[in-house]
Amino acid sequence: MKRIVYSTLCLLLLAIPLYARRDSVVVVRAHEQKTFQAQIPPGNYSGITHLGGNEYAVVSDKSPQDGFYVFAIDIDSVSGEILNVENRGFWSAGAANRDGEGIVYLPSTKTILISGETDGKILEYDLDGHRTIREAVIPEVFGKVRTNQGFEALTYSPTTHRVWTCNESTLQGDGEVASPTNGVANVVRLQSFDEALQPLRQYAYRMDAPTASAPAELYAMGVPELAALEDGSLLVLEREFYTPSSKLGAFVNCKLFQAWPSEEVDRDKPIDGKTTFMDKNLVYEWKTSLGLFSYEIANYEGMCLGPVLRDGSRVLLLVSDSQNQYGGVLKDWFKTIVFK
């Protein structure tokens, strides 16, 4: 009888989805951002993925052609601090840039996926930069993406074998887009795919409301990146970029949340007051700004998991989009956050 009960309990435990776990991420340390202008060409770096060792594939949304860079990024194995970054070259697909935003490496096929904001597609590439014949099957609801607010994020978990993306900001029909004067919180749809790039479950996620409260000359608030964790949860980067007419006082506020998939959202119905949103927990928050003598503002758009350190903690690596080092003021910043 005991054996039967034990076997039944084991089967029940195996049936519990990974996302049912609620292990919360704890930040151990966050390192100051660094720039490596002598080694890295000015870019619009919007996505990064770990290839293995010290090599990372990086996508720039305004590179001369479709494709990706390979950067060698040396990270201290004890502290998790970035020691050096070098450019090892650009791997071209031989086609026009399609506003590549997110990038992820699939170890099982030794291929790379890149999400394009212009065409709304997620295409596959080999490690030489050439496109394969595969692409993700995108649910129709993402045809309601507003201009320049599509697939910025892309991530993959080798544990759950799931690829994830989301629209950057609220879809048409799902509500009003956040602004610094309306106080509205954006809602986005997180979409999962299997390794065959077929769509699986979709979840609703509600961002925090804006921190800005004055009119802006330029404003962007959305989810530019995700990072899938082993337990099925996701790290979600919420980014608010506020620029007043004077430019001085511009800031980027970043909030890193851990979110757990729960109840699926209906793809055929708009998000409304009856929608169940993913649970989320604030992991870390930081702000960079532009002042008269301070040019450390950083628009972080790329994020991926890095190496495991000697003490078992994990590195989260981030890269910013400098708009080709716009005006000689913006820089291509790199940052690491260490968590357990």
Side-chain angles (χ1 to χ4, degrees), residues 134-330:
R134 295 207 311 162
E135 66 177 271
V137 177
I138 306 298
E140 290 184 8
V141 68
F142 291 109
K144 298 178 182 179
V145 165
R146 290 179 164 94
T147 302
N148 202 36
Q149 295 180 355
F151 295 143
E152 289 249 354
L154 201 60
T155 188
Y156 167 77
S157 169
T159 303
T160 63
H161 304 284
R162 296 290 180 263
V163 175
W164 290 88
T165 190
C166 68
N167 47 300
E168 182 185 4
S169 184
T170 308
L171 296 177
Q172 297 180 45
D174 279 347
E176 189 178 356
V177 175
S179 80
T181 55
N182 65 12
V184 169
N186 282 331
V187 294
V188 301
R189 295 171 182 254
L190 273 67
Q191 177 67 51
S192 62
F193 300 84
D194 61 23
E195 290 184 331
L197 306 185
Q198 296 297 312
L200 297 174
R201 295 179 175 181
Q202 186 179 118
Y203 303 90
Y205 178 92
R206 191 200 306 274
M207 294 182 63
D208 279 7
T211 62
S213 57
E217 181 174 313
L218 295 172
Y219 187 77
M221 185 162 187
V223 176
E225 196 59 283
L226 305 168
L229 301 180
E230 292 180 352
D231 67 352
S233 66
L234 295 138
L235 293 179
V236 181
L237 179 63
E238 297 189 15
R239 182 274 325 273
E240 181 182 16
F241 195 162
Y242 172 85
T243 305
S245 57
S246 65
K247 303 298 189 295
L248 293 178
F251 69 81
V252 179
N253 195 60
C254 292
K255 293 182 179 181
L256 186 66
F257 288 91
Q258 183 180 13
W260 293 266
S262 53
E263 184 176 326
E264 284 186 78
V265 67
D266 192 330
R267 298 180 195 172
D268 300 320
K269 293 182 179 179
I271 291 175
D272 57 24
K274 298 180 181 179
T275 301
T276 299
F277 292 94
M278 298 171 69
D279 292 335
K280 69 177 189 177
N281 179 57
L282 181 63
V283 173
Y284 186 69
E285 181 176 2
W286 73 103
K287 185 176 183 178
T288 59
S289 58
L290 179 64
L292 191 59
F293 303 106
S294 174
Y295 308 120
E296 295 187 350
I297 189 167
N299 179 26
Y300 286 101
E301 290 198 349
M303 179 176 78
C304 74
L305 296 180
V308 176
L309 302 181
R310 289 185 188 177
D311 65 357
S313 57
R314 193 70 183 268
V315 171
L316 184 71
L317 176 61
L318 298 107
V319 61
S320 71
D321 181 349
S322 72
Q323 297 292 315
N324 277 333
Q325 296 181 13
Y326 180 78
V329 173
L330 300 186

Side-chain angles (χ1 to χ4, degrees), residues 26-87:
V26 176
V27 170
V28 178
R29 69 186 71 90
H31 292 286
E32 294 295 324
Q33 60 189 23
K34 291 185 174 183
T35 185
F36 301 85
Q37 294 187 92
Q39 297 101 307
I40 300 299
N44 295 259
Y45 303 122
S46 52
I48 187 169
T49 187
H50 194 187
L51 298 176
N54 72 339
E55 289 195 330
Y56 295 78
V58 179
V59 67
S60 173
D61 59 32
K62 292 182 180 63
S63 56
Q65 291 185 312
D66 186 23
F68 54 87
Y69 291 90
V70 174
F71 288 174
I73 303 178
D74 297 322
I75 297 174
D76 187 276
S77 61
V78 176
S79 69
E81 186 173 7
I82 300 172
L83 302 175
N84 191 42
V85 180
E86 292 184 356
N87 175 28

